[in-house]
Amino acid sequence: MKFWFIAGSQFLYGDETVAQVEKGAAEIAAGLKLPWPVEYKGAVTTTAEIERIIKEANYDDECAGIITFCHTFSPSKMWINGLTLLQKPWLHFHTQLNEAIPDQEIDMDYMNLHQSAHGDREHGFIGARLRLPRKVIAGYWKDSATLQRIADWQRAAIGAVFGRKLKIVRFGDNMREVAVTEGDKVETQIKFGWQVNTWGVGDLAGEMERVTDAEIQALMAEYHTLYDYDDKDVKAIEYQAREEIAIEKILVREGASAFTNTFEDLSGLRQLPGLATQHLLAKGYGYGAEGDWKTAGMTATVKAMYPGGATTFMEDYTYDYASGLILGAHMLEVCPTVAAGKPRIEVHPLGIGGKEAPARLVFEGRAGAAVAASLIDMGGRMRLIAADVECVKPTLAMPNLPVARVMWKPLPDLETGAECWIRAGGAHHTVLSFETNAGVLRDFARITGVEFVSINGDTRPDTLEKELMMGDIIWK
Ligand code: MN
């Protein structure tokens, strides 16, 4: 994927000035060292040029968004016909070729060439007038903090563009009677592009029968290099390998990047996929347990924003009020990218589901700042909630808890953070990521047109309550 850099200008100052605009804008575009490349697409000077380049941006599958900057004044009525067609994420980058004013050299030629301070105000007006969702970043283009902000926006744009092609395979339906994992799949596809559809668990069981022993042994060799385990558990682990191979074959066949399943529908399966799901998560697939396709989609999205990063499906499980910490885990399916050390495969019975004891990865989560995010359906709109959390090395040994476990302090503290989360309606399932931050998810929500709620160190329950009431009016 690439981002297109488009410089706004006009003909008023003559060909020589436009040529200098081209040179300066190309220099800025080439200097933007970011996670995804920026391609300079030229200076635009007419309504027809602007409309053409925006149509091309819409049509080009490798274009993840446009970055505009007005080196000189670029009258904004020229931009209306193009911008009203724009379907890609838009960053208005309010920068300037030179960092400082050259005291001795500055003259009217300089003034006519370096006009973004007022040219970008004209450009900002048309963005506001058209009510278009856009990111605005002001700052010098060589400044590292400015570059970091653009990099963050790129992550959000990549997540949004990824979603337009995301397919989520649901093996079976949602866990019976659960409310928060439900939602409007049609609305979700309209907003995010996610295609959420169901496959029978019997199809998966059939695919598993066709997995060969050679395929299983190849995957076992991979497990062997990545994880520790006891030889007595090999049969159960091989069964998880069979499940993983079959699930991935179906995902690849369908072009899907995320999946769900539920312990309430394992027809034809002997174990709930545990290790299988964890290893698929580590490969970059999204996942949601108990049919939670919204969390599966968000997990896949954040993983697409940060390829290879520490991001997992997660669940708030139990509190330690004594130390102000949350213990996060799941029955099985936590991604080993958040592990502090080498994970261990263990085989233990589950308390529910009535199937054989599944093999799963057991590990402790790493410490560090993270975000827990939850996508919920408020009826008529989606709401994305992101809580800032501080993960810690688990404070307890918990020798009888054979699952992956992560502990964190929600900000500003357990009581306030939990109260705000409950007030906002956040789910027990989340995406937990050590890579992203609330600003990136806010940008993602703006691009996709959904409500965003941040719970952070400054959040107060009374102001959050008012914000949510305002949201009910705004998002009606
Ligand atoms: Mn769950």
Side-chain angles (χ1 to χ4, degrees):
M1 303 299 286
K2 289 176 185 169
F3 289 80
W4 288 15
F5 191 96
I6 303 166
S9 191
Q10 63 173 330
F11 276 121
L12 189 67
Y13 317 105
D15 288 343
E16 194 189 326
T17 303
V18 173
Q20 285 180 286
V21 164
E22 290 273 12
K23 192 162 165 282
E27 186 184 341
I28 293 172
L32 299 177
K33 301 302 179 206
L34 296 162
W36 280 271
V38 173
E39 188 171 309
Y40 178 59
K41 301 300 283 189
V44 288
T45 54
T46 65
T47 305
E49 273 178 12
I50 293 165
E51 184 178 331
R52 176 188 53 77
I53 204 160
I54 287 179
K55 282 179 177 171
E56 285 174 5
N58 287 341
Y59 187 73
D60 190 325
D61 283 341
E62 288 182 0
C63 174
I66 65 165
I67 302 172
T68 60
F69 153 67
C70 293
H71 200 309
T72 64
F73 198 84
S74 182
S76 276
K77 283 162 75 175
M78 297 194 316
W79 286 81
I80 294 172
N81 293 19
L83 287 177
T84 49
L85 299 174
L86 179 64
Q87 296 169 328
K88 291 288 170 79
W90 174 22
L91 164 63
H92 178 182
F93 184 30
H94 182 45
T95 191
Q96 184 170 277
L97 181 60
N98 295 330
E99 185 174 26
I101 294 171
D103 184 17
Q104 297 302 311
E105 290 87 54
I106 189 165
D107 56 14
M108 281 317 294
D109 283 347
Y110 183 96
M111 293 287 269
N112 282 337
L113 182 59
H114 302 277
Q115 292 183 325
S116 50
H118 73 278
D120 270 335
R121 280 173 162 74
E122 167 75 356
H123 198 53
F125 165 73
I126 207 64
R129 175 64 180 81
L130 294 171
R131 274 92 174 161
L132 289 176
R134 72 214 196 278
K135 178 76 173 179
V136 179
I137 295 177
Y140 185 52
W141 55 280
K142 290 181 181 172
D143 176 57
S144 61
T146 300
L147 287 169
Q148 183 57 53
R149 294 186 66 208
I150 303 175
D152 279 355
W153 171 79
Q154 277 194 333
R155 305 277 183 192
I158 288 288
V161 171
F162 167 79
R164 302 315 302 181
K165 295 199 164 138
L166 173 60
K167 293 181 181 176
I168 303 173
V169 166
R170 305 169 67 222
F171 291 112
D173 207 315
N174 294 48
M175 180 179 167
R176 289 185 279 275
E177 307 292 355
V178 176
V180 77
T181 58
E182 294 285 355
D184 183 340
K185 301 186 198 77
V186 174
E187 177 69 10
T188 302
Q189 187 165 348
I190 293 168
K191 289 295 184 194
F192 301 120
W194 302 356
Q195 300 165 60
V196 187
N197 290 294
T198 304
W199 272 257
V201 182
D203 293 344
L204 174 57
E207 194 66 49
M208 284 171 60
E209 283 173 24
R210 292 187 287 277
V211 173
T212 66
D213 201 48
E215 289 171 315
I216 290 171
Q217 291 316 314
L219 185 52
M220 288 295 286
E222 193 177 338
Y223 290 162
H224 191 75
T225 62
L226 295 170
Y227 313 123
D228 294 325
Y229 55 85
D230 286 342
D231 288 345
K232 70 174 170 52
D233 292 329
V234 162
K235 283 286 167 239
I237 297 168
E238 284 177 346
Y239 191 77
Q240 290 283 329
R242 181 181 293 278
E243 290 183 322
E244 176 178 336
I245 292 161
I247 293 168
E248 189 166 26
K249 279 183 180 175
I250 292 172
L251 296 179
V252 169
R253 185 190 308 146
E254 301 302 332
S257 303
F259 70 103
T260 70
N261 53 26
T262 169
F263 67 91
E264 283 182 336
D265 186 357
L266 295 175
S267 312
L269 273 61
R270 297 194 339 243
Q271 295 180 23
L272 176 63
L275 168 62
T277 298
Q278 292 172 294
H279 195 237
L280 287 167
L281 274 161
K283 285 178 172 176
Y285 290 101
Y287 174 75
E290 290 96 51
D292 187 350
W293 50 269
K294 296 198 301 302
T295 306
M298 276 312 299
T299 305
T301 297
V302 177
K303 282 179 174 286
M305 292 174 179
Y306 301 88
T311 298
T312 182
F313 167 74
M314 183 48 71
E315 181 168 279
D316 296 75
Y317 233 99
T318 296
Y319 291 149
D320 192 54
Y321 269 120
S323 57
L325 295 173
I326 296 175
L327 170 60
H330 204 258
M331 286 194 291
L332 305 173
E333 310 92 337
V334 176
C335 179
T337 54
V338 304
K342 189 176 186 182
R344 183 175 171 73
I345 304 173
E346 296 185 19
V347 179
H348 302 275
L350 283 179
I352 54 179
K355 294 284 175 174
E356 288 177 12
R360 83 290 304 269
L361 293 170
V362 178
F363 57 84
E364 285 195 342
R366 65 166 79 169
V371 170
S374 169
L375 181 66
I376 59 170
D377 186 333
M378 290 297 292
R381 74 177 189 272
M382 311 298 283
R383 171 183 286 168
L384 180 61
I385 305 162
D388 291 354
V389 305
E390 188 64 40
C391 292
V392 300
K393 179 178 162 50
T395 53
L396 307 162
M398 299 176 280
N400 294 309
L401 185 68
V403 292
R405 69 290 285 282
V406 182
M407 290 185 89
W408 64 84
K409 176 194 155 183
L411 297 183
D413 55 65
L414 173 56
E415 289 80 1
T416 310
E419 274 176 34
C420 290
W421 187 268
I422 301 282
R423 166 74 63 194
H428 52 288
H429 286 171
T430 59
V431 182
L432 181 78
S433 178
F434 289 76
E435 311 294 340
T436 196
N437 59 66
V440 172
L441 297 179
R442 184 186 296 279
D443 286 351
F444 172 78
R446 186 189 308 106
I447 293 166
T448 51
V450 303
E451 183 186 11
F452 180 75
V453 175
S454 166
I455 300 170
N456 55 62
D458 297 325
T459 301
R460 283 176 31 194
D462 54 348
T463 49
L464 181 85
E465 185 174 4
K466 186 170 278 182
E467 182 188 332
L468 296 172
M469 290 164 78
M470 298 276 284
D472 275 333
I473 298 167
I474 295 164
W475 293 94
K476 229 162 199 137

